[in-house]
Amino acid sequence: MRRILVTGASGFIGSHVAAAALRRGYEVVALARRPDTYQPPQGVHTVGGDVRDPGAMRAAVRGCHAVVHLAALCTFDAAQAARMHEVNVVGTANVLQAALAEGVDRIVYTGTVGGTAFSRERLATEDDLAGPEAMRGPYKRSKFAAECAVRALVRDGAPIVTVCPTAPLGPGDARPTPTGAIVRDFLRRRMPAYVDTGLNFVHVADVAEGHLLALERGEPGDRYLLGNTAGNLTLSEALGILSELTGIPAPRVRLPHGALLAAAWASEAAGRMLGCPPPLPLEAARMAATRMWVDPSRSVRALGMPQTPVRRAFQDAVEWYTAHP
């Protein structure tokens, strides 16, 4: 039985990856920064450790044939910039160096779709890489730096495959992710308006399978967008689906991007004065100006990534948030 280490297994995508790996017959080791509070699926072994600790990473990887590295700090809170660098950049380097030192067969690194160069003229693909000038905000900058380090290791022959999930939806998004927050806030009737933006929505179960398919079939050095070929929706269209599923009226007021940015600047100022994260982060407002639409057909064609209907992804998310208000 092949033994794999999954970092970030307590997170939204990571928990689905660990469960899917068990179903595929892997022996799964989950890295947990706080193992006393982590409740893994039955059959998952837990090892304690922080990605910022190189020695702990060597110990965690030892005896594993492969690593799926999902652990990351994802927040729009600019006050967390230094910690994001430590976790997302230094931590990634520690995990990858430990895996290479222990001689694993394959590494799957979870990047971000935010590192993609998007265009209004056509759908973005894996070949459309954004440059450092497009990395606004500490989270994007940290993930960009981490992916640059990954590419450098690949050039030296490291067996690393990069996957970039788009906007996952489904059960278990407790924190929640920005995508899950759309569903949660809609159900709580906290979306009085919407902006003209777009995302590629995908079921989290498909994203989990995409990670394991990349482990089994992906070409080292390649980058795969884990999305849905029918998942490119405007926010207005997504809210329309939620309205159909729940009976809750979708907002009819479209907020101009200029007004959103002004509100975000005010929110950032208030956050600094009060010493707390802003309710509307500037980085999130800037991202809303871009339709993050992609063509994920390479993942479908090369990996065989499943394509659960997007409406089902919304339905599963609605049902989970209804049961976990």
Side-chain angles (χ1 to χ4, degrees), residues 6-12 14-16 18 29-31 38 44 70-71:
V6 179
T7 73
S10 62
F12 177 41
S15 63
H16 284 270
V29 179
L31 177 72
Y38 173 53
V44 171
L70 297 110

Side-chain angles (χ1 to χ4, degrees), residues 15-312:
S15 63
H16 284 270
V17 170
L22 279 177
R23 292 192 296 269
R24 295 170 84 91
Y26 287 99
E27 181 182 356
V28 181
V29 179
L31 177 72
R33 188 168 58 88
R34 298 181 58 188
D36 55 322
T37 62
Y38 173 53
Q39 296 181 337
Q42 186 174 0
V44 171
H45 306 286
T46 304
V47 59
D50 192 310
V51 296
R52 295 172 292 183
D53 182 346
M57 292 307 95
R58 283 290 297 266
V61 172
R62 194 162 295 132
C64 293
H65 300 93
V67 173
V68 180
H69 178 45
L70 297 110
L73 177 59
C74 178
T75 176
F76 290 126
D77 183 4
Q80 296 286 325
R83 186 160 173 254
M84 270 186 273
H85 180 84
E86 291 175 3
V87 173
N88 300 347
V89 183
V90 178
T92 292
N94 290 339
V95 172
L96 300 183
Q97 293 293 351
L100 295 173
E102 292 296 324
V104 302
D105 299 328
R106 185 68 64 92
I107 303 166
V108 174
Y109 168 69
T110 306
T112 174
V113 72
T116 305
F118 298 100
S119 168
R120 286 267 179 174
E121 285 69 43
R122 62 179 180 82
L123 301 180
T125 71
E126 288 84 352
D127 298 325
D128 296 306
L129 295 176
E133 70 283 350
M135 299 299 112
R136 295 185 177 181
Y139 174 71
K140 272 190 169 186
R141 285 194 292 269
S142 68
K143 293 295 285 186
F144 179 82
E147 195 165 330
C148 286
V150 167
R151 288 198 287 271
L153 289 172
V154 166
R155 287 193 293 270
D156 290 335
I160 307 173
V161 180
T162 297
V163 295
C164 299
T166 54
L169 281 171
D173 193 1
R175 193 160 293 178
T177 62
T179 320
I182 293 173
V183 180
R184 182 200 62 182
D185 292 348
F186 183 87
L187 293 174
R188 293 178 178 179
R189 300 173 186 261
R190 293 180 179 174
M191 295 193 72
Y194 67 94
V195 293
D196 179 20
T197 190
L199 296 168
N200 179 272
F201 295 94
V202 60
H203 200 294
V204 67
D206 294 349
V207 172
E209 289 294 329
H211 277 75
L212 298 173
L213 290 165
L215 179 66
E216 297 164 357
R217 306 177 186 176
E219 287 292 329
D222 276 358
R223 182 174 183 263
Y224 299 93
L225 294 173
L226 302 184
N228 191 293
T229 55
N232 293 315
L233 302 174
T234 64
L235 180 56
S236 178
E237 290 169 334
L239 297 177
I241 292 174
L242 288 172
S243 181
E244 292 171 7
L245 292 172
T246 64
I248 298 173
R252 297 184 177 181
V253 177
R254 183 169 67 85
L255 188 66
H257 286 295
L260 182 68
L261 285 171
W265 279 109
S267 176
E268 291 277 351
R272 286 193 294 271
M273 289 177 59
L274 299 174
C276 62
L280 177 58
L282 182 60
E283 185 178 354
R286 284 171 170 164
M287 287 177 64
T290 302
R291 288 188 177 181
M292 300 172 70
W293 284 352
V294 304
D295 173 9
S297 58
R298 179 183 295 177
S299 296
V300 179
R301 181 179 63 255
L303 302 180
M305 180 180 167
Q307 298 285 277
T308 301
V310 174
R311 188 181 180 90
R312 171 67 183 274

